[in-house]
């Protein structure tokens, strides 16, 4: 009797499915219960895996960042947001209003995925110094992505009068974040299309004003 062949692709599929189930469970519990009230045992139970599988993927803080990274880009591929076609399309558009339209189209679904996790992350950062450091890292990374967009706008159209790159970056970074999105979605019932139109309006009014584009 010949030995059974090692099925590497199947094992890889199973490992990927287990990883996805753990991250799904962690994300759902972080959003429902908050970071502090979510235990590793609860994540294992919800994912229907052994606790050692959860710990094998990372500690609770690492699970939070894995869920965040997936929510930001929409998948598990190790490709930074800045290198992905949607943001590249914004950066490469030939006019300011085109950048606003493309930016809103990719940012609206991303913010809908992301804002509940960002809320849990920010709350956890207020209690855990290590997570506070990670929170600042994520915000600085987000600010750098916003700055790339602002610089791309400046390359094709003048910014609104009186606005420089730093102030434009800070303003756009602060205005289009999880807090206003949570209010608009949860208190006003906005959907993805509402958010898309709002992001485009903010982008144009803040950066371009009456400048020709």
């Amino acid at each position: 009797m010949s030995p059974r062949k090692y099925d590497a692709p199947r094992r890889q599929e199973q490992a990927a499915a287990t990883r996805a189930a753990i991250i799904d469970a962690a994300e759902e519990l972080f959003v429902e219960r908050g970071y502090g009230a979510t235990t590793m045992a609860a994540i294992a139970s919800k994912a229907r895996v052994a606790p050692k599988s959860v710990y094998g993927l990372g500690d609770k803080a690492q699970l939070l960042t894995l869920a965040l990274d997936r929510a930001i880009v929409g998948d598990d591929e190790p490709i930074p947001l800045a290198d992905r076609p949607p943001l590249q399309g914004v950066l490469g558009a030939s006019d300011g209003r085109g950048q606003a339209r493309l930016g809103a189209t990719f940012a609206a679904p991303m913010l809908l995925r992301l804002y509940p996790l960002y809320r849990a992350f920010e709350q956890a950062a207020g209690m855990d110094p290590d997570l506070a450091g990670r929170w600042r890292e994520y915000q600085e990374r987000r600010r750098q992505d916003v700055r790339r967009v602002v610089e791309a706008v400046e390359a094709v159209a003048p910014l609104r009068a009186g606005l420089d790159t730093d102030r434009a970056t800070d303003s756009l970074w602060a205005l289009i974040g999880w807090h206003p999105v949570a209010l608009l979605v949860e208190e006003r019932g906005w959907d993805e299309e509402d958010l898309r139109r709002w992001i485009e309006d903010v982008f144009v009014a803040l950066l371009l004003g009456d400048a020709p584009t």
Side-chain angles (χ1 to χ4, degrees):
M1 181 176 178
S2 61
R4 189 169 65 179
K5 292 182 179 179
Y6 178 72
D7 191 350
R10 181 169 179 79
R11 284 181 178 271
Q12 290 172 352
E13 289 175 4
Q14 291 173 337
T18 298
R19 183 180 189 276
I22 292 170
I23 296 173
D24 286 343
E27 177 177 348
E28 188 171 337
L29 291 172
F30 289 145
V31 170
E32 287 181 356
R33 302 181 183 180
Y35 181 83
T38 296
T39 65
M40 297 291 274
I43 293 171
S45 176
K46 191 165 193 65
R48 298 183 178 182
V49 300
K52 68 177 182 180
S53 296
V54 179
Y55 283 101
L57 189 56
D59 62 20
K60 193 164 73 165
Q62 288 170 319
L63 294 179
L64 176 60
T65 56
L66 286 172
L68 277 164
D69 288 342
R70 188 178 66 177
I72 289 170
V73 299
D75 58 48
D76 288 316
E77 295 298 319
I79 304 172
L81 180 65
D83 295 335
R84 287 174 176 260
L87 188 52
Q88 288 295 309
V90 177
L91 300 179
S94 60
D95 66 278
R97 291 186 184 273
Q99 290 167 327
R101 184 177 62 257
L102 291 170
T105 298
F106 102 84
M110 179 180 69
L111 286 167
L112 280 175
R113 292 191 305 267
L114 188 57
Y115 86 82
L117 271 173
Y118 255 150
R119 174 162 50 202
F121 192 7
E122 187 174 39
Q123 291 168 348
M127 301 180 288
D128 185 325
D130 290 337
L131 280 174
R134 295 191 190 195
W135 172 257
R136 287 190 293 271
E137 289 173 6
Y138 269 81
Q139 294 312 304
E140 180 56 29
R141 188 189 309 171
R142 186 168 71 89
R143 188 183 179 281
Q144 290 304 316
D145 287 335
V146 172
R147 187 181 180 91
R148 290 187 184 96
V149 172
V150 171
E151 290 173 342
V153 171
E154 288 184 278
V156 298
L159 293 179
R160 181 169 54 82
L163 200 63
D164 62 21
T165 306
D166 284 338
R167 190 170 184 85
T169 298
D170 288 347
S171 298
L172 199 61
W173 169 79
L175 287 172
I176 303 180
W178 83 258
H179 303 85
V181 172
L183 286 173
L184 293 169
V185 171
E186 296 177 357
E187 302 299 327
R188 299 304 304 158
W190 280 25
D191 61 15
E192 183 178 319
E193 177 58 19
D194 293 321
L195 280 179
R196 188 201 63 75
R197 288 162 47 203
W198 172 72
I199 293 168
E200 184 173 350
D201 288 345
V202 170
F203 188 114
V204 170
L206 176 64
L207 298 184
L208 302 174
D210 295 327
T213 59

